[in-house]
């Protein structure tokens, strides 16, 4: 698939296109052209572009009015504009504040507090460690290069939850120093993992 002047990224059945320009109106014209070319390519190859699942986001435009009034169309059908979208498991918001992704990871990890609380009585320390690295640590590490570039206050809820999970696994009271918990698993808190 060749579309001029665009960065196409394919993953399984998802197609993502990155279009950029010096101003929003220039970018919008390019984006409509790319969507039209994609649609023609799909039709020529007996595929269809699902307009209901097609959406777009605007990144880096500081003119709020232009962003709000912007529309993107394919054959007079308006494509929905979203403030955030998931790209390869990372929730990207249009202002690049990463709060949506942090909330997503937090929600995924929150369920492990109860699970680890129950499991710690039935499985060995070794198994708990394996489960922590498989289900919690891996979620924290995925995309940390980008999402942890936010303010520490936004990361704090994830840090506190991770500390809580480690205390539950180790069956330690709230007053236990988190440094000891991280050392026992030979890992680091989120800000230090990011660094």
């Amino acid at each position: 698939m060749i579309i001029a002047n665009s960065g196409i990224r394919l993953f399984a059945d998802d197609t993502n296109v990155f279009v950029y320009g010096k101003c929003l109106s220039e970018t919008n014209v390019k984006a409509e052209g790319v969507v039209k070319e994609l649609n023609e390519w799909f039709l020529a190859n007996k595929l269809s572009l699902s307009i209901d699942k097609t959406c777009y986001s605007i990144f880096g435009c500081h003119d709020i009015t232009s962003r709000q009034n912007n529309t993107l169309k394919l054959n007079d059908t308006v494509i929905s504009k979203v403030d955030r979208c998931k790209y390869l498991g990372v929730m990207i918001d249009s202002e690049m504040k990463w709060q949506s992704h942090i909330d997503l990871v937090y929600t995924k990890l929150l369920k492990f507090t109860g699970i680890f609380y129950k499991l710690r009585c039935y499985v060995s320390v070794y198994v708990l460690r394996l489960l922590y690295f498989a289900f919690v640590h891996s979620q924290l590490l995925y995309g940390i290069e980008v999402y942890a570039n936010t303010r520490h206050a936004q990361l704090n809820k994830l840090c506190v939850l991770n500390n809580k999970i480690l205390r539950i696994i180790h069956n330690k009271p709230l007053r236990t120093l988190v440094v000891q918990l991280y050392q026992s698993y030979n890992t680091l808190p989120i800000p230090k993992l990011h660094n």
Side-chain angles (χ1 to χ4, degrees), residues 109-145:
L109 297 185
L110 189 59
K111 65 184 172 196
F112 288 106
T113 55
I115 292 170
F116 280 119
Y117 187 78
K118 292 173 186 167
L119 280 179
R120 72 182 180 187
C121 300
Y122 299 104
V123 298
S124 69
V125 174
Y126 175 75
V127 171
L128 286 172
R129 186 178 198 282
L130 289 176
L131 292 171
Y132 171 79
F133 278 100
F135 295 108
V136 177
H137 196 260
S138 62
Q139 289 290 329
L140 294 172
L141 277 185
Y142 188 76
I144 197 168
E145 300 88 349

Side-chain angles (χ1 to χ4, degrees), residues 8-19:
I8 293 182
R9 303 290 181 260
L10 303 171
F11 185 78
D13 65 343
D14 282 344
T15 303
N16 293 277
V17 181
F18 297 89
V19 181

Side-chain angles (χ1 to χ4, degrees), residues 127-176:
V127 171
L128 286 172
R129 186 178 198 282
L130 289 176
L131 292 171
Y132 171 79
F133 278 100
F135 295 108
V136 177
H137 196 260
S138 62
Q139 289 290 329
L140 294 172
L141 277 185
Y142 188 76
I144 197 168
E145 300 88 349
V146 290
Y147 83 79
N149 278 314
T150 190
R151 296 186 334 262
H152 182 71
Q154 286 182 269
L155 280 178
N156 192 48
K157 71 188 279 186
L158 271 184
C159 295
V160 169
L161 180 60
N162 192 39
N163 295 346
K164 180 178 182 175
I165 291 170
L166 285 170
R167 280 192 188 98
I168 290 169
I169 291 171
H170 287 86
N171 202 9
K172 298 288 184 183
L174 190 60
R175 293 180 306 278
T176 306

Side-chain angles (χ1 to χ4, degrees), residues 30-182:
K30 283 183 184 179
E32 283 190 347
V34 168
V35 171
K36 183 179 176 190
E37 286 182 59
L38 270 173
N39 189 48
E40 289 170 1
W41 187 91
F42 284 138
L43 292 173
N45 288 281
K46 298 188 180 2
L47 298 168
S48 64
L49 177 67
S50 177
I51 202 75
D52 296 337
K53 294 181 181 180
T54 302
C55 60
Y56 73 101
S57 289
I58 301 171
F59 304 102
C61 177
H62 301 293
D63 184 357
I64 305 251
T65 308
S66 294
R67 271 173 56 176
Q68 290 173 341
N69 296 332
N70 188 74
T71 57
L72 189 63
K73 295 180 180 181
L74 173 65
N75 301 332
D76 296 325
T77 303
V78 176
I79 297 172
S80 64
K81 180 172 56 172
V82 295
D83 290 327
R84 60 184 175 270
C85 62
K86 197 184 249 187
Y87 179 65
L88 299 178
V90 177
M91 188 66 76
I92 305 173
D93 61 282
S94 59
E95 294 181 13
M96 300 278 196
K97 291 187 177 177
W98 305 108
Q99 189 62 54
S100 300
H101 183 73
I102 291 167
D103 292 343
L104 178 71
V105 174
Y106 182 87
T107 303
K108 286 180 183 178
L109 297 185
L110 189 59
K111 65 184 172 196
F112 288 106
T113 55
I115 292 170
F116 280 119
Y117 187 78
K118 292 173 186 167
L119 280 179
R120 72 182 180 187
C121 300
Y122 299 104
V123 298
S124 69
V125 174
Y126 175 75
V127 171
L128 286 172
R129 186 178 198 282
L130 289 176
L131 292 171
Y132 171 79
F133 278 100
F135 295 108
V136 177
H137 196 260
S138 62
Q139 289 290 329
L140 294 172
L141 277 185
Y142 188 76
I144 197 168
E145 300 88 349
V146 290
Y147 83 79
N149 278 314
T150 190
R151 296 186 334 262
H152 182 71
Q154 286 182 269
L155 280 178
N156 192 48
K157 71 188 279 186
L158 271 184
C159 295
V160 169
L161 180 60
N162 192 39
N163 295 346
K164 180 178 182 175
I165 291 170
L166 285 170
R167 280 192 188 98
I168 290 169
I169 291 171
H170 287 86
N171 202 9
K172 298 288 184 183
L174 190 60
R175 293 180 306 278
T176 306
L177 295 175
V178 292
V179 173
Q180 295 171 351
L181 302 174
Y182 285 102

